């Protein structure tokens, strides 16, 4: 697949002067719930109404969606509000039902994108469709797998495409439900600048208090849109209760978010530099996270040294580390002088940590 303007035709056709907003509940629960949320969203910047009909649950026993019945409710929501609709499809049968019920945009969920077999089945069921298909990132941080899914659709002559960044699973517990790994999405954006990139802050956050900040970062990185889970009674939602926000909150967020829409040469420079600066912020954040992780491991080593009564400073080991890092640095065009400075500072901080532990 090459980067082509046609990829974003469906989005340009909306003629929006702000990023695309897709909003609606995690799951369609009842007809009344679907209609009530859709009507409330009509008062916001929302263009597309989302609702999950078939819910992929990590563990069995949770609410698994209302099934095809919900598609009728979405059709009714569209008739009454004029909002477009979108839902997740996870196999050819879902595609068939969604198309029969005139769903406008289909999305492929994170647990489906990981499986080339299933993605291929869906691509074949969608062959030549004019509908828009959005591909969520796979649960694991694998850019090739994500792109592969988009390419399978493209090869099946599906040309209205986009991707949704919903974060990546980690074994370690972090502040996020799914780690954003912004760099991965930014890499994809650099390779395919015309493939619409949409942020799903809800599934990254897993909680509502950091959704606004995630949206702002995405807009600063020039994302094309947001998909935000929205419910009039989030706490009592049948799925993903902790991360949903009300339509009123969504309205407030879209009013408060900074959107760069100035044009002209000066604005173009500002846009580009802001995007690059946000990329730097993302990397700096990762640097601090990594340094914190390194220091924790150094602390564990300190405790071990104390237990076995071993000296904190192990000169041989340290020289080995330095040698390796200088070589690796060379590959990345980092000078020996720089590597020495950085690692001396890191090493000193580790020794300070370990000293404190040993002397406790
Ligand atoms: C969803 O959007 O409700 C959903 C299940 O998303 P994901 O595939 O990103 O987990
Ligand atoms: Mn959800």
């Amino acid at each position: 697949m090459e980067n082509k303007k046609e990829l974003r035709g469906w989005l340009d056709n909306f003629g929006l002067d702000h990023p695309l907003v897709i909003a609606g509940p995690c799951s369609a629960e009842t007809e009344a719930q679907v209609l009530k949320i859709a009507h409330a969203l009509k008062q916001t910047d929302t263009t597309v109404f989302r609702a999950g009909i078939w819910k992929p649950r990590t563990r069995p026993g949770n609410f698994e969606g209302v099934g095809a019945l919900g598609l009728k409710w979405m059709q009714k929501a569209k008739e009454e509000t004029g909002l477009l609709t979108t839902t997740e499809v996870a196999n050819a049968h879902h595609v068939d039902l969604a198309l029969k019920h005139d769903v406008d945009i289909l999305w492929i969920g994170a647990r489906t994108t990981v499986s080339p077999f299933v993605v291929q089945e869906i691509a074949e069921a969608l062959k030549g469709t004019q509908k828009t298909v959005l591909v969520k990132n796979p649960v694991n941080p694998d850019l090739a797998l994500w792109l592969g899914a988009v390419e399978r659709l493209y090869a099946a002559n599906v040309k209205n495409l986009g991707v949704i960044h919903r974060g990546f699973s980690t074994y370690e517990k972090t502040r996020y439900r799914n780690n954003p790994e912004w760099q991965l999405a930014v890499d994809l954006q650099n390779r395919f600048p015309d493939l619409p990139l949409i942020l799903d802050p809800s599934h990254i956050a897993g909680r509502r208090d950091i959704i606004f900040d995630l949206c702002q970062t995405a807009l600063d990185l020039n994302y094309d849109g947001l998909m935000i889970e929205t419910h009039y009674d989030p706490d009592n939602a049948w799925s993903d209760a902790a991360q949903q926000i009300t339509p009123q909150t969504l309205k407030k967020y879209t009013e408060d978010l900074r959107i760069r829409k100035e044009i002209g040469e000066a604005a173009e420079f500002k846009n580009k530099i802001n995007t690059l600066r946000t990329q730097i912020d993302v990397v700096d954040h990762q640097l601090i996270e990594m340094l914190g992780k390194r220091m924790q491991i150094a602390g564990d080593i300190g405790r071990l040294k104390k237990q076995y009564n071993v000296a904190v400073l192990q000169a041989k080991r340290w020289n080995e580390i330095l040698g390796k890092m200088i070589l690796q640095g060379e590959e990345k065009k980092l000078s020996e002088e720089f590597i020495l400075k950085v690692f001396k500072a890191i090493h000193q901080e580790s020794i300070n940590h370990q000293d404190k532990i040993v002397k406790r």
Side-chain angles (χ1 to χ4, degrees):
M1 195 177 78
E2 293 162 54
N3 180 55
K4 288 209 182 83
K5 273 264 179 273
E6 66 173 341
L7 294 170
R8 57 180 310 113
W10 64 273
L11 181 59
D12 292 340
N13 284 343
F14 288 151
L16 300 171
D17 63 354
H18 56 75
L20 174 68
V21 180
I22 303 174
C26 177
S27 305
E29 298 166 1
T30 64
E31 179 173 337
Q33 175 245 19
V34 166
L35 294 176
K36 187 168 169 184
I37 297 171
H39 278 281
L41 288 172
K42 192 63 197 158
Q43 313 307 316
T44 69
D45 275 346
T46 303
T47 302
V48 184
F49 176 74
R50 67 149 278 158
I53 297 294
W54 301 282
K55 299 306 298 179
R57 306 318 304 227
T58 301
R59 309 276 305 270
N62 294 317
F63 176 57
E64 296 199 325
V66 292
L69 176 64
L71 292 169
K72 299 241 183 305
W73 310 337
M74 291 186 79
Q75 240 174 341
K76 197 161 175 193
K78 170 153 70 168
E79 269 166 34
E80 290 187 8
T81 62
L83 292 172
L84 300 180
T85 55
T86 183
T87 198
E88 173 175 352
V89 290
N91 57 43
H93 180 59
H94 293 167
V95 169
D96 197 39
L97 286 166
L99 295 181
K100 278 202 180 96
H101 289 83
D102 209 20
V103 172
D104 299 288
I105 298 177
L106 293 82
W107 91 74
I108 295 180
R111 294 164 194 75
T112 306
T113 308
V114 289
S115 168
F117 287 129
V118 184
V119 171
Q120 189 59 37
E121 170 189 321
I122 292 173
E124 274 156 33
L126 280 166
K127 216 174 200 102
T129 186
Q130 292 303 309
K131 302 271 182 188
T132 297
V133 183
L134 303 177
V135 181
K136 284 202 171 194
N137 67 251
V139 285
N140 52 324
D142 184 338
L143 183 54
L145 194 57
W146 194 2
L147 264 176
V150 179
E151 283 166 343
R152 281 176 198 281
L153 290 157
Y154 191 78
N157 220 13
V158 179
K159 296 289 151 72
N160 296 316
L161 289 166
V163 290
I164 302 176
H165 174 206
R166 53 77 80 191
F168 303 88
S169 283
T170 48
Y171 176 63
E172 284 168 72
K173 273 271 143 275
T174 65
R175 72 192 290 248
Y176 304 105
R177 174 177 173 189
N178 291 298
N179 213 6
E181 313 267 14
W182 292 102
Q183 204 49 47
L184 208 138
V186 168
D187 282 350
L188 184 137
Q189 187 185 38
N190 285 336
R191 282 171 65 181
F192 294 95
D194 286 314
L195 182 64
L197 172 61
I198 293 166
L199 183 80
D200 170 348
S202 311
H203 290 89
I204 291 178
R207 45 189 252 219
R208 57 185 77 95
D209 62 320
I210 55 177
I211 287 180
F212 181 87
D213 283 350
L214 287 165
C215 292
Q216 189 60 64
T217 300
L219 297 190
D220 291 343
L221 287 168
N222 267 333
Y223 277 46
D224 299 284
L226 304 165
M227 180 198 254
I228 305 182
E229 285 191 340
T230 316
H231 194 293
Y232 56 81
D233 185 7
D235 285 335
N236 289 306
W238 296 4
S239 58
D240 289 350
Q243 71 196 31
Q244 303 206 51
I245 59 172
T246 63
Q248 291 73 26
T249 303
L250 176 73
K251 190 166 195 313
K252 175 102 183 60
Y253 282 6
T254 53
E255 284 162 6
D256 292 349
L257 285 167
R258 270 181 292 113
I259 302 170
R260 291 189 245 113
K261 49 179 174 190
E262 306 139 78
I263 38 173
E265 211 173 289
E268 200 175 298
F269 167 77
K270 231 166 87 187
N271 270 351
K272 284 188 178 152
I273 196 131
N274 280 338
T275 303
L276 292 171
R277 281 183 177 149
T278 310
Q279 292 182 12
I280 288 272
D281 290 348
V282 168
V283 176
D284 284 348
H285 177 82
Q286 285 170 336
L287 278 176
I288 300 281
E289 291 282 311
M290 295 307 286
L291 287 173
K293 225 180 249 174
R294 194 190 192 283
M295 239 23 97
Q296 256 174 14
I297 301 174
D300 291 342
I301 293 182
R303 276 176 281 278
L304 205 62
K305 284 177 177 166
K306 182 179 185 176
Q307 193 185 343
Y308 291 91
N309 207 17
V310 175
V312 163
L313 185 64
Q314 303 278 306
K316 184 163 165 278
R317 160 85 181 140
W318 167 235
N319 284 328
E320 279 168 12
I321 294 185
L322 261 189
K324 264 199 296 194
M325 290 306 113
I326 288 170
L327 282 180
Q328 210 189 324
E330 244 169 52
E331 282 170 27
K332 298 281 172 199
K333 302 205 170 19
L334 303 170
S335 71
E336 178 171 340
E337 188 197 352
F338 173 68
I339 295 284
L340 280 174
K341 260 194 221 154
V342 170
F343 274 88
K344 273 189 186 151
I346 292 176
H347 187 230
Q348 190 55 55
E349 184 73 7
S350 290
I351 289 182
N352 295 350
H353 267 248
Q354 293 190 354
D355 254 354
K356 259 192 236 150
I357 289 165
V358 171
K359 290 189 181 124
R360 245 204 312 256

